[in-house]
């Protein structure tokens, strides 16, 4: 029963050596600050464009922001997981962890949560603008929560696919590059379709019939 305690689970993740390693390496100020500044500039551009084009009321701002969040967390996060696992396998660190007392589940969780930790931070930076869109009721709070559930389930599915691909491929580098290529292809091919889809969904979700 104690193993299912959320506090115990969070504490276990916090003490996970793989997670701690990525937490220290990926959130260094010299690496995290430039990325955060870029995201802030993009948010200002989105907000200014929404103000000029009345995008806050029509849902265009939230749709554009959702595309940015998908790139940051879903695509870049999956890429980081594939690269981290592939690099660990190629360098032999993965074999070392297998002979330590760390369980396979703890090892997978460490990469799953730790590798995209910077992308979670960048997503958090976009949250204030997303909540401002909620204050403009485009979408309303119910619709926003529904979108977030779908967004995170889709993101975690893509992260799990990246983790599985990196763990099972025979050549880690080739597998990582293949995953990156697949993600880039899906983004380029479905970018315009996805943009209009999420903008339309923002206008429609949570509205009364």
């Amino acid at each position: 029963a104690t193993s299912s305690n959320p506090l115990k689970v969070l504490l276990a993740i916090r003490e996970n050596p793989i997670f701690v390693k990525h937490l220290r390496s990926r959130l260094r100020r010299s690496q995290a600050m430039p990325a955060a500044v870029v995201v802030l500039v993009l948010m200002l551009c989105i907000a200014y464009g929404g103000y000029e084009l009345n995008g806050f009321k029509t849902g265009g701002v939230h749709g554009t922001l959702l595309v940015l969040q998908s790139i940051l967390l879903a695509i870049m996060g999956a890429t980081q997981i594939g690269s981290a696992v592939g690099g660990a396998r190629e360098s032999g660190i993965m074999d070392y962890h297998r002979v330590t007392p760390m369980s396979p589940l703890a090892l997978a969780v460490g990469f799953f949560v730790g590798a995209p930790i910077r992308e979670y931070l960048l997503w958090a930076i976009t949250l204030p603008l997303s909540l401002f869109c909620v204050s403009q009721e485009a979408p309303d709070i119910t619709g926003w929560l529904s979108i977030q559930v779908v967004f995170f389930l889709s993101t975690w599915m893509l992260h799990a696919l990246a983790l599985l691909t990196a763990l099972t491929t025979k050549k880690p580098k080739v597998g990582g590059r293949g995953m990156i290529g697949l993600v880039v292809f899906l983004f380029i091919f479905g970018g315009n379709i996805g943009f209009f889809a999420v903008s339309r969904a923002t206008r429609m979700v949570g509205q009364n019939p």
Side-chain angles (χ1 to χ4, degrees), residues 17-144:
I18 303 297
F19 172 76
V20 173
K21 171 185 174 296
H22 285 100
L23 186 68
R24 293 176 177 175
S25 62
R26 303 215 65 233
L27 292 185
R28 291 174 181 171
R29 183 176 299 180
S30 59
Q31 297 183 7
M33 286 299 295
V37 170
V38 171
V39 173
L40 286 173
V41 171
L42 290 175
M43 284 178 55
L44 290 175
C45 294
I46 293 173
Y48 177 76
Y51 174 77
E52 291 291 332
L53 302 174
N54 196 30
F56 286 102
K57 295 295 184 181
T58 62
V61 171
H62 188 268
T64 306
L65 187 63
L66 190 58
V67 172
L68 176 62
Q69 291 174 332
S70 300
I71 296 172
L72 292 175
L73 189 54
I75 297 179
M76 293 177 60
T79 302
Q80 290 298 329
I81 291 175
S83 299
V85 176
R89 289 186 59 193
E90 186 184 19
S91 64
I93 296 178
M94 187 70 72
D95 295 329
Y96 167 77
H97 286 301
R98 287 173 179 170
V99 300
T100 62
M102 184 184 303
S103 67
L105 178 59
L107 184 63
V109 169
F111 282 107
F112 189 84
V113 181
I117 189 65
R118 188 193 303 164
E119 285 65 36
Y120 279 105
L121 174 63
L122 299 178
W123 171 86
I125 294 175
T126 67
L127 195 56
L129 183 57
S130 181
L131 293 177
F132 182 78
C133 293
V134 175
S135 70
Q136 303 298 308
E137 297 187 349
D140 59 19
I141 185 62
T142 302
W144 184 81

